[in-house]
Amino acid sequence: MNYEFTIIVPVYNEQECLPELFQKLKDYLQSSSKKSKVLLVDDGSTDGSPAMIKEFCDANEDFHYLLFERNFGKGAALKAAFDHIDTPWLGYLDADLQTYPEDFEILFSLSSKNDLVTGWRKQRKDTLIKRISSKIGNGVRIMFTRDHMHDTGCPLKIIKTSYAKKIPMFKGLQRFLPAMVLLQNGRIAEIEIPHYPRLAGKSKYNFKNRFMGPLIDCFAYVWMRKSYINYNVKEKNE
């Protein structure tokens, strides 16, 4: 099939969320403005998630999976997905359903003039601690990256695959996707989207990995920005 869009869903111990996630994704594929498929990446889950993913994907042709041998982290899950995608556009969605797949359509409203569009969870449905730590983390990141995004950690994004495949691998990758597209002289935009409470399962984030981890990753980004190689071939012979 001539798919135009692949939705990446990293999964780590989310068996309680998966039945509703599967249904939400199936419903969206029926109404999506682009012919779409789904790539679920299990990041070494120790619950029933891998078995549920395999069973569902084997029964639904628009769904595919990658299963990691152990937990490598969300950045690795996204990079592995980027390496396996063959559609012009890709998107990213968390398995906890605090953002919904149908809201990709909001992002696509800005896709004609941009290479990456990210959501902005302006009205967040999280705990006070999570909101405060994320706000501080975003402020620190903006100082380093100058991407001027309010909510780069929003787990709802669309990216042109040609840009995604040029993003180098490092831990915390998901926090720097807009900045990495800017390094390629790409165009980025942000648009407000709805945010929903987590209905099941447990958050994998705390103050350490919401603030201290991103702070350390910022220094890695600064080094990468100075060393990043970006080029475009003008002409070649076959």
Side-chain angles (χ1 to χ4, degrees):
M1 297 185 184
N2 294 319
Y3 291 104
E4 302 171 273
F5 180 49
T6 302
I7 301 169
I8 302 165
V9 188
V11 178
Y12 180 61
N13 291 343
E14 293 284 7
Q15 64 179 10
E16 295 174 347
C17 295
L18 288 183
E20 185 171 357
L21 172 69
F22 293 156
Q23 189 58 54
K24 286 275 189 186
L25 288 166
K26 283 190 71 173
D27 291 344
Y28 175 64
L29 294 191
Q30 297 300 312
S31 62
S32 174
S33 61
K34 297 182 181 292
K35 179 62 178 174
S36 304
K37 60 182 176 178
V38 176
L39 178 59
L40 295 143
V41 184
D42 185 82
D43 186 21
S45 294
T46 56
D47 63 0
S49 297
M52 294 172 68
I53 289 170
K54 289 181 65 175
E55 181 180 4
F56 184 81
C57 291
D58 287 345
N60 293 273
E61 64 176 353
D62 295 326
F63 287 76
H64 309 271
Y65 64 83
L66 299 173
L67 304 182
F68 281 1
E69 61 183 6
R70 62 174 178 84
N71 179 242
F72 289 97
K74 185 178 288 186
L78 289 175
K79 184 60 169 63
F82 293 171
D83 291 343
H84 285 80
I85 284 175
D86 57 3
T87 53
W89 282 92
L90 60 86
Y92 158 37
L93 175 78
D94 270 357
D96 61 14
L97 284 179
Q98 288 197 259
T99 52
Y100 287 175
E102 55 260 37
D103 292 328
F104 280 121
E105 296 300 309
I106 299 174
L107 305 188
F108 275 122
S109 69
L110 298 179
S111 64
S112 64
K113 295 182 179 180
N114 292 285
D115 306 300
L116 175 147
V117 183
T118 184
W120 175 14
R121 300 164 294 179
K122 192 173 183 179
Q123 303 295 328
R124 292 190 64 164
K125 307 301 181 184
D126 283 324
T127 65
L128 180 61
I129 293 296
K130 288 174 71 175
R131 295 198 305 270
I132 291 174
S133 59
S134 290
K135 186 166 185 167
I136 295 172
N138 270 312
V140 171
R141 177 195 45 74
I142 289 172
M143 285 194 305
F144 281 87
T145 66
R146 299 191 290 274
D147 62 13
H148 304 294
M149 298 285 103
H150 292 89
D151 187 16
T152 190
C154 178
L156 195 79
K157 292 179 174 63
I158 59 171
I159 315 171
K160 283 184 180 176
T161 302
S162 58
Y163 283 81
K165 287 184 178 293
K166 291 183 180 180
I167 295 174
M169 171 64 189
F170 66 94
K171 290 183 179 180
L173 169 75
Q174 67 275 8
R175 305 181 189 102
F176 296 90
L177 295 178
M180 297 306 297
V181 170
L182 286 178
L183 282 184
Q184 300 176 52
N185 299 316
R187 294 167 295 180
I188 65 175
E190 183 178 53
I191 188 169
E192 187 176 343
I193 61 165
H195 191 233
Y196 306 94
R198 175 184 269 272
L199 299 179
K202 296 181 179 179
S203 174
K204 311 305 185 295
Y205 291 96
N206 51 45
F207 180 79
K208 182 178 179 181
N209 57 26
R210 278 186 178 274
F211 178 67
M212 295 306 298
L215 177 60
I216 295 170
D217 292 339
C218 281
F219 290 102
Y221 170 78
V222 169
W223 174 85
M224 184 173 295
R225 185 176 63 197
K226 293 179 179 179
S227 307
Y228 185 73
I229 296 173
N230 185 43
Y231 67 90
N232 290 293
V233 175
K234 179 181 178 180
E235 184 178 338
K236 68 176 182 178
N237 66 333
E238 297 298 335

